[in-house]
Amino acid sequence: MTSELERLFEHLRFASISTDSRHVADVRANAEWLVGQFEGMGMATEIHETPGNPIVIARNKHVGGRRTVLIYGHYDVQPVDPLELWDSAPFEPEIRDGKIWGRGGADNKGQHFVHMLGAEKTIREDGELPVNVIFLIEGEEEIGSPNLVPFLEEHRDELACDIIAVSDTGMVALGVPTLGYGLRGITCLEVMVKGPSGDLHSGVYGGAVANPAMAAARMVASLHEDDGKIAVDGFYDDVIPLEDWERKMWAKVPGASDEDFLKTTGSLESFGEPGYSIAERLWGRPTVEVNGIGSGYQGEGSKTVLPAEAMFKLSCRLVPGQDPAMVQEKVEAHLRTHTPAGVTIEIEKGHSGKAYHNDPHSDYGKAAQRALTTSFGKEPVLIREGGSIPIIQDMKEILGSDSLMLGLALPDCQIHAPNENFAVENFECGILMSQALLKELAKA
Amino acid sequence: MTSELERLFEHLRFASISTDSRHVADVRANAEWLVGQFEGMGMATEIHETPGNPIVIARNKHVGGRRTVLIYGHYDVQPVDPLELWDSAPFEPEIRDGKIWGRGGADNKGQHFVHMLGAEKTIREDGELPVNVIFLIEGEEEIGSPNLVPFLEEHRDELACDIIAVSDTGMVALGVPTLGYGLRGITCLEVMVKGPSGDLHSGVYGGAVANPAMAAARMVASLHEDDGKIAVDGFYDDVIPLEDWERKMWAKVPGASDEDFLKTTGSLESFGEPGYSIAERLWGRPTVEVNGIGSGYQGEGSKTVLPAEAMFKLSCRLVPGQDPAMVQEKVEAHLRTHTPAGVTIEIEKGHSGKAYHNDPHSDYGKAAQRALTTSFGKEPVLIREGGSIPIIQDMKEILGSDSLMLGLALPDCQIHAPNENFAVENFECGILMSQALLKELAKA
């Protein structure tokens, strides 16, 4: 085993589970281990205390006139249960079948450690890095980064940078380098539907009194046309259309055909906005989804109740151009218009985040593409992602810098699940990629 | 206090809760007390053991050529919790505001005891009853009468009768004698909706994969037209239409106007089949109701899941003419036709029972009306009920006899709830009614 792999294994042995207070010492030990690594590279390293877990910052010697690159990562991990589903102990990493198995391998220790090793190797080879680098490795990503935004705001000037590099997303398939340039935003609503003043007997009162469960179903059903198009008035108004090159690119991304998505999800058929492939719907079009619905008796057998109330939870995924607050307003207006007679509704507006989008053909984007091509021996595919990483948009707003999403996690890497793994190939090519990236960005 | 009331109080003091095994001795003691009462009236009394609680049977001396009347009741009661909501101890009956307060007062001890006292009084006054009487008082009505149907089948010949009298339903208002001549039937279905092979991330996969919660909502919404009419093909085919006299009668039943029903239920507006009043929808028209629906995350806050499955429970209330099995088939066919693409459904068919209906203008019905008029000093209203009492239909099928439903429970009598009560007026007039009923039935 290479010394690089041995050092990754050290990193992976920390049970740095941020959501579980029993692991607070493991989390801190992991942060301190990172400090040791950065200091070993000769970097100026600081451990920033927060009300939660510390943030580790490390810099090489900054030189005026050079590009400044911020490299983001997180050293905290998800819980491991159910433990019995793991084939090897989550915090005792091992290599099998060309993969590194262990919690944090893909999310995110393996992914940010390639950038640390790449920087170290370049320093060893060239005596110094070609750019100013700021490593920012936080310890609370898995609990929603509650202390990072205040930290960014407080240290805005010291963190000023030209571009951000983040390896915390996916690579579409082994051997297919992937540059992400967009993430969907989100906005959430919860709806309470109220009918009679208490649960009623469905025999004594059924058929004559509005049933909130039925009303909730009608409201949910009203959100889409039969063909899958969102029926909320004006929902698509501000959506920036996909560009031709994106649709062409996505049509040939390995693992992203309609068939691939159906196989991955176990779905029988696709559903959604007509005229778009699944990849286009996921990466470039907005959604309204029901995340939960509930009313009445859901246990075993029957209870002939006419329930007094019902609830449902909606989340909308947003794309560039859409303002979360305006989307919430449109959905609320739709729900109020479509509230059946005999019930009232209360709407609670939940959290929101804007979509993130940059231009992969910018100078920095091209530099990243070149780095991926050099290190993986193949031109990268350019994709957006369907999910949301709010901190990317936060960094854009606070630091003013875009993020290059150089994902190294494969679709079967099992992040957040048992048997998390990280391909050895991506670890090794990742180190090369991080070296190439800094060189390319220096020239961008 | 009259000796009749004192004896009712004795009856009410037994904590004969059939669902709670800690009360098995109270239940038996109550049955034995009933035996003593019937024996005191000179009746031939038997206590029939069952795998559960005993059934008490009592007869006067039967004489050939006379009408035989079976009087049904039950001596078991519902649990009393929440105890703290009772204004007086549930098994220590007392009189306040013209009402007898205590568990079982209305459901059903007070109601069947008036028939026992009526028979006793007639025997005392006239030396004998004008008809052959069979009292059948069971101890498991509140747990679904699991042992009564086998008992009826086994004793079909000994229980043969011309007509059945049951006081276990409602009187529409104080001073308004009420004859029930129908009950709705029921049939239940549960639907499981399955989509992707597991829960999905609503960001990563939302907008392109059929969401079972959405599909369930669309199916539920499809069950009714916008105007409240049931949209299931052929659903109303076999429904026997309401007769003109019924609609005219129901329009003037006290406490049964649309306004009254909205006030009782706390609903803002009525909902249901156009062209019918609430009373008509409840008593004479069938329903499809959702008793429960559930999918995804229903807890606090948000979880952006695209759920793998959803469920909903339906019950249909049926009216004369409708066959439960055929209705199940029609609803199933509708659901299969309306299953959105991308999901599959599994349907579990639940319990069923036919509607019950008789002719209140039959000779027996007229006799009952005369008895109600005599005892309450006012002509009775004729109604059906929206709920189901399966044993009434079972008795019709096994014994071949119709039931006169002479309800004495007022709308505010709180059966199954804290502060159950029974109007003293209905107790006293009920005794007169039972005397008059036997006399009228003898002549019918």
Side-chain angles (χ1 to χ4, degrees), chain A residues 184 186 188 190 194-198 200-211 213-214 216-218 220-227 261-273 277-279 281-283 285-307 310-311 313 315 317 341-344 351 385-388, chain B residues 184 186 188 190 194-198 200-211 213-214 216-218 220-227 261-273 277-279 281-283 285-307 310-311 313 315 317 341-344 351 385-388:
Chain A
R184 291 197 288 193
I186 189 169
C188 299
E190 181 165 348
K194 300 197 175 183
S197 51
L200 298 174
H201 188 294
S202 77
V204 179
Y205 295 107
V209 164
N211 178 333
M214 193 84 74
R218 295 186 80 88
V220 169
S222 76
L223 292 165
H224 293 85
E225 309 286 358
D226 286 344
D227 65 3
F261 276 116
L262 293 178
K263 203 171 153 195
T264 307
T265 60
S267 293
L268 297 173
E269 284 183 59
S270 72
F271 171 86
E273 200 185 354
S277 70
I278 292 187
R281 288 175 188 162
L282 293 177
W283 299 342
R285 303 295 298 176
T287 72
V288 180
E289 282 295 346
V290 184
N291 306 118
I293 183 168
S295 179
Y297 180 67
Q298 301 175 42
E300 203 179 333
S302 66
K303 183 183 175 191
T304 49
V305 65
L306 195 165
M311 56 71 67
K313 290 174 190 274
S315 64
R317 296 286 168 168
V343 300
T344 57
H351 72 281
E385 301 225 359
S388 314
Chain B
R184 289 199 289 192
I186 189 170
C188 299
E190 181 164 348
K194 299 194 176 184
S197 51
L200 298 174
H201 188 293
S202 77
V204 180
Y205 295 108
V209 164
N211 179 332
M214 193 84 75
R218 295 187 81 88
V220 169
S222 77
L223 291 165
H224 294 84
E225 309 286 359
D226 286 345
D227 65 3
F261 277 114
L262 292 179
K263 201 170 156 196
T264 306
T265 60
S267 293
L268 297 172
E269 283 183 59
S270 71
F271 170 86
E273 200 185 353
S277 71
I278 292 187
R281 290 175 187 163
L282 294 177
W283 298 342
R285 302 296 296 178
T287 71
V288 179
E289 281 296 345
V290 183
N291 305 118
I293 183 169
S295 181
Y297 181 68
Q298 300 174 42
E300 202 178 333
S302 66
K303 183 183 174 190
T304 49
V305 67
L306 193 165
M311 56 71 67
K313 290 174 190 274
S315 63
R317 296 287 168 169
V343 300
T344 56
H351 72 281
E385 301 224 357
S388 312

Side-chain angles (χ1 to χ4, degrees), chain B residues 34-48 55-62 68-72 116 119 129 132-137 151 158-159:
Chain B
L34 279 170
V35 170
Q37 296 292 309
F38 283 122
E39 285 177 343
M41 291 157 63
M43 290 209 172
T45 309
E46 303 152 35
I47 189 155
H48 279 271
I55 295 166
V56 177
I57 298 286
R59 296 161 203 269
N60 63 339
K61 192 172 159 57
H62 283 204
T68 300
V69 181
L70 188 149
I71 300 172
Y72 167 87
M116 292 170 64
L129 297 177
N132 303 330
V133 166
I134 307 170
F135 278 98
L136 187 169
I137 317 289
F151 177 81
E158 302 128 73
L159 298 172

